[in-house]
């Protein structure tokens, strides 16, 4: 297989892999949310009807922790011997999870939210450049930006 067709094949793998990783990432977050919510609600079953406790206080911690965990996990994957297209797919999922977490958390402070996202994008691009990564790693960053934009700005 020549270099051009290999590069195209890797780009296709990154596209499909990124979509799969994004679906799995958001499904895992939903499952974790439901698990924590179920544990909290089980503890509060005996409460008086009409009393609304602060039962969802865990959400921001879960959201932020999940986004940071994905980002750190994405960095760790790059130290592994996994195929490069797979690393790029994980990078797309990690960045999107991080952007979604911080974007939702900081939605009332759009300037800070935008600043954090731009800073992480710039850091990712510099890091990829210093590691001499191929084009599809940058493409994974673009996928993350696009997916995050659709998630954070749906209208």
């Amino acid at each position: 297989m020549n270099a051009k067709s290999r590069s195209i094949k890797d780009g296709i793998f990154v596209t499909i892999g990124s979509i799969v990783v994004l679906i799995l990432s958001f499904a895992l977050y939903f499952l974790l949310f439901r698990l924590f919510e179920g544990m909290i609600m089980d503890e509060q079953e005996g409460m008086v009807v009409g009393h609304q406790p602060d039962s969802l206080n865990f959400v921001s911690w879960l959201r932020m922790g999940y986004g940071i965990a994905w980002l750190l996990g994405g960095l760790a994957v790059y130290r592994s011997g996994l195929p490069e297209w797979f690393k790029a797919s994980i990078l797309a999922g990690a960045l999107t999870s991080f952007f979604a977490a911080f974007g939702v958390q900081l939605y009332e402070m759009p300037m800070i939210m935008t600043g954090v996202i731009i800073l992480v994008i710039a850091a990712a691009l510099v890091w990829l450049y210093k590691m001499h990564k191929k084009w599809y790693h940058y493409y994974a960053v673009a996928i993350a930006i696009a997916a995050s934009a659709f998630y954070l700005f749906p209208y």
Side-chain angles (χ1 to χ4, degrees):
M1 181 181 304
N2 67 20
K4 184 176 181 178
S5 62
R6 177 68 187 175
S7 183
I8 292 170
K9 181 179 160 190
D10 286 338
I12 293 170
F13 283 168
V14 169
T15 303
I16 295 168
S18 295
I19 292 168
V20 170
V21 169
L22 289 172
I23 291 168
L24 293 175
S25 169
F26 284 96
L28 179 60
Y29 176 78
F30 177 74
L31 291 174
L32 287 172
F33 176 83
R34 297 296 291 177
L35 176 70
F36 280 100
E37 181 186 43
M39 290 187 315
I40 300 290
M41 293 305 175
D42 286 346
E43 290 176 8
Q44 297 175 355
E45 274 185 10
M47 300 196 92
V48 177
V49 176
H51 181 261
Q52 281 293 34
D54 293 329
S55 60
L56 297 179
N57 285 339
F58 72 91
V59 174
S60 51
W61 288 102
L62 174 65
R63 183 184 305 127
M64 299 293 277
Y66 190 76
I68 291 169
W70 261 98
L71 195 59
L72 294 175
L75 293 172
V77 165
Y78 269 84
R79 302 184 126 236
S80 72
L82 294 168
E84 290 297 312
W85 67 266
F86 187 77
K87 292 177 185 180
S89 298
I90 295 295
L91 177 64
L95 287 173
T96 304
S97 295
F98 179 80
F99 296 156
F102 273 76
V104 170
Q105 191 64 33
L106 300 172
Y107 75 94
E108 291 179 340
M109 298 175 271
M111 296 301 285
I112 295 173
M113 174 187 68
T114 304
V116 168
I117 290 173
I118 288 172
L119 183 65
V120 172
I121 291 169
L125 294 175
V126 168
W127 179 61
L128 291 173
Y129 179 77
K130 286 187 178 227
M131 290 179 30
H132 306 289
K133 292 298 181 183
K134 294 186 178 179
W135 69 270
Y136 49 84
H137 293 272
Y138 299 94
Y139 174 56
V141 174
I143 290 172
I145 293 168
S148 299
F150 281 115
Y151 184 80
L152 295 171
F153 309 108
Y155 303 108

